[in-house]
Amino acid sequence: MISPNNKPGKLNKPELLAPAGSMEALKLAIDCGADAIYGSGMSFGLRYNAKNFSLTDLRKAVEYAHGRQRRFYLAVNALIHESDLASLKEYLLAAGETGIDAFIISDLGAAVLAREAAPHVALHVSTQASVANSASAEAWHEIGARRIIAARELSLRELAEMKKDMPTDMELEVFVHGAQCMAVSGRCIISNYLAHRDANKGQCAHSCRWDYQLVEKKRPNEYLPVIEEDGHTSIFSPYDLNMIEHLDDLVSAGIDSFKIEGRTKGVNYISTVVSAYRAVLDGEEAKQYVEGLRAQTPRPQGTGFYYGYPQQNYRN
């Protein structure tokens, strides 16, 4: 349970940041207690299959969030190619006029362009940038970033050390729940090779979750199963993240924002997960929400890299 001195209004109570792939999801997340929402526009986000927001809908989403004293962060975290630059500049300028509270950006050049196009909008550095130390955080701070979304491969000890040495006016955000990528901070190219869909441009085919079998070179027509459970295997797929029972450790590490993954998830997921984390942040015991959260995914859940090598800390 979160320490009782973390009451609403205290600076040391972390923000609860929820995903929204649609206006319906945004409204539900706010109703369930999210302090802030993150989502994508129709360009340069990493959730191609989410409904996402047109510029008109984005303005409405921001107005709805602000009307309820919530914040809205726009993900512009796709890999930026040279051919993207002209349209990116136009998009950043237009998006900056919708009232969003922050851009979530992974590309250094895109970050500079965002500061030029919309200097009034805060800059958050995406986990895709793999920031894993305070020196990197300081470099981002110098170009105007005010929040780091940490690399997912860091332990609690490493996060606490990095937070201690970061600029004092810079926040640190981490993922606490949801699906995880098997690649370093999400920068995967398996989908590119197997499905011709660029994961770093928001079109991931989730190739790591396909059902794989082993083939021996001298027996090309004999498929050997690699069974994990229930006759099914997805040997490249990591466990989902679930930190509901460890939020006090994250608070002690100085984390400023707790992020939930799931911009393509349904309303039941949004309702169940956001409500559970809100309740525990507000002082309820975590154990009463464990089973409900496990039921939201067919995959095992664990604590990622927070306490060491992931498979040492799983929960079935």
Side-chain angles (χ1 to χ4, degrees), residues 134 159-166 253:
S134 59
L159 286 165
E161 291 175 352
M162 184 168 78
K163 174 63 177 178
K164 177 174 61 68
D165 293 331
M166 284 168 54

PDB file of all heavy atoms in Angstrom, residues 134 159-166 253:
ATOM      1  N   SER A 134      21.543   9.463 -16.132  1.00  0.00           N
ATOM      2  CA  SER A 134      21.294  10.876 -15.871  1.00  0.00           C
ATOM      3  C   SER A 134      22.024  11.796 -16.847  1.00  0.00           C
ATOM      4  O   SER A 134      21.574  12.910 -17.104  1.00  0.00           O
ATOM      5  CB  SER A 134      21.687  11.226 -14.431  1.00  0.00           C
ATOM      6  OG  SER A 134      23.059  10.936 -14.202  1.00  0.00           O
ATOM      7  N   LEU A 159      16.843   3.154 -11.524  1.00  0.00           N
ATOM      8  CA  LEU A 159      15.911   4.271 -11.677  1.00  0.00           C
ATOM      9  C   LEU A 159      16.083   5.282 -10.543  1.00  0.00           C
ATOM     10  O   LEU A 159      16.086   6.496 -10.769  1.00  0.00           O
ATOM     11  CB  LEU A 159      14.472   3.757 -11.704  1.00  0.00           C
ATOM     12  CG  LEU A 159      14.044   3.049 -12.989  1.00  0.00           C
ATOM     13  CD1 LEU A 159      12.754   2.267 -12.754  1.00  0.00           C
ATOM     14  CD2 LEU A 159      13.853   4.052 -14.129  1.00  0.00           C
ATOM     15  N   ALA A 160      16.221   4.779  -9.324  1.00  0.00           N
ATOM     16  CA  ALA A 160      16.399   5.666  -8.176  1.00  0.00           C
ATOM     17  C   ALA A 160      17.686   6.478  -8.294  1.00  0.00           C
ATOM     18  O   ALA A 160      17.715   7.679  -7.994  1.00  0.00           O
ATOM     19  CB  ALA A 160      16.387   4.846  -6.888  1.00  0.00           C
ATOM     20  N   GLU A 161      18.765   5.830  -8.744  1.00  0.00           N
ATOM     21  CA  GLU A 161      20.036   6.532  -8.903  1.00  0.00           C
ATOM     22  C   GLU A 161      19.952   7.578 -10.006  1.00  0.00           C
ATOM     23  O   GLU A 161      20.478   8.689  -9.864  1.00  0.00           O
ATOM     24  CB  GLU A 161      21.136   5.504  -9.218  1.00  0.00           C
ATOM     25  CG  GLU A 161      21.473   4.597  -8.047  1.00  0.00           C
ATOM     26  CD  GLU A 161      22.466   3.518  -8.424  1.00  0.00           C
ATOM     27  OE1 GLU A 161      22.783   3.387  -9.638  1.00  0.00           O
ATOM     28  OE2 GLU A 161      22.928   2.795  -7.517  1.00  0.00           O
ATOM     29  N   MET A 162      19.300   7.224 -11.110  1.00  0.00           N
ATOM     30  CA  MET A 162      19.168   8.174 -12.206  1.00  0.00           C
ATOM     31  C   MET A 162      18.331   9.376 -11.785  1.00  0.00           C
ATOM     32  O   MET A 162      18.690  10.522 -12.057  1.00  0.00           O
ATOM     33  CB  MET A 162      18.537   7.497 -13.430  1.00  0.00           C
ATOM     34  CG  MET A 162      18.456   8.415 -14.653  1.00  0.00           C
ATOM     35  SD  MET A 162      18.039   7.535 -16.180  1.00  0.00           S
ATOM     36  CE  MET A 162      16.281   7.317 -15.979  1.00  0.00           C
ATOM     37  N   LYS A 163      17.217   9.116 -11.099  1.00  0.00           N
ATOM     38  CA  LYS A 163      16.343  10.206 -10.651  1.00  0.00           C
ATOM     39  C   LYS A 163      17.088  11.165  -9.730  1.00  0.00           C
ATOM     40  O   LYS A 163      16.952  12.390  -9.828  1.00  0.00           O
ATOM     41  CB  LYS A 163      15.118   9.618  -9.945  1.00  0.00           C
ATOM     42  CG  LYS A 163      14.203  10.646  -9.295  1.00  0.00           C
ATOM     43  CD  LYS A 163      13.586  11.597 -10.307  1.00  0.00           C
ATOM     44  CE  LYS A 163      12.621  12.548  -9.621  1.00  0.00           C
ATOM     45  NZ  LYS A 163      12.035  13.530 -10.567  1.00  0.00           N
ATOM     46  N   LYS A 164      17.911  10.619  -8.858  1.00  0.00           N
ATOM     47  CA  LYS A 164      18.654  11.437  -7.896  1.00  0.00           C
ATOM     48  C   LYS A 164      19.611  12.401  -8.594  1.00  0.00           C
ATOM     49  O   LYS A 164      19.817  13.522  -8.135  1.00  0.00           O
ATOM     50  CB  LYS A 164      19.420  10.523  -6.935  1.00  0.00           C
ATOM     51  CG  LYS A 164      20.307  11.223  -5.926  1.00  0.00           C
ATOM     52  CD  LYS A 164      20.888  10.237  -4.936  1.00  0.00           C
ATOM     53  CE  LYS A 164      21.759   9.191  -5.613  1.00  0.00           C
ATOM     54  NZ  LYS A 164      23.025   9.767  -6.169  1.00  0.00           N
ATOM     55  N   ASP A 165      20.174  11.966  -9.724  1.00  0.00           N
ATOM     56  CA  ASP A 165      21.175  12.768 -10.414  1.00  0.00           C
ATOM     57  C   ASP A 165      20.630  13.568 -11.598  1.00  0.00           C
ATOM     58  O   ASP A 165      21.375  14.307 -12.238  1.00  0.00           O
ATOM     59  CB  ASP A 165      22.310  11.859 -10.904  1.00  0.00           C
ATOM     60  CG  ASP A 165      23.099  11.253  -9.757  1.00  0.00           C
ATOM     61  OD1 ASP A 165      23.163  11.895  -8.686  1.00  0.00           O
ATOM     62  OD2 ASP A 165      23.629  10.144  -9.921  1.00  0.00           O
ATOM     63  N   MET A 166      19.339  13.420 -11.896  1.00  0.00           N
ATOM     64  CA  MET A 166      18.725  14.191 -12.977  1.00  0.00           C
ATOM     65  C   MET A 166      18.514  15.640 -12.547  1.00  0.00           C
ATOM     66  O   MET A 166      18.522  15.946 -11.346  1.00  0.00           O
ATOM     67  CB  MET A 166      17.366  13.572 -13.362  1.00  0.00           C
ATOM     68  CG  MET A 166      17.466  12.303 -14.184  1.00  0.00           C
ATOM     69  SD  MET A 166      15.872  11.417 -14.325  1.00  0.00           S
ATOM     70  CE  MET A 166      14.780  12.720 -14.945  1.00  0.00           C
ATOM     71  N   ALA A 253      11.429   5.162  -5.127  1.00  0.00           N
ATOM     72  CA  ALA A 253      12.479   5.430  -6.112  1.00  0.00           C
ATOM     73  C   ALA A 253      12.368   6.835  -6.704  1.00  0.00           C
ATOM     74  O   ALA A 253      13.249   7.261  -7.442  1.00  0.00           O
ATOM     75  CB  ALA A 253      12.420   4.400  -7.235  1.00  0.00           C
TER      76      ALA A 253
END
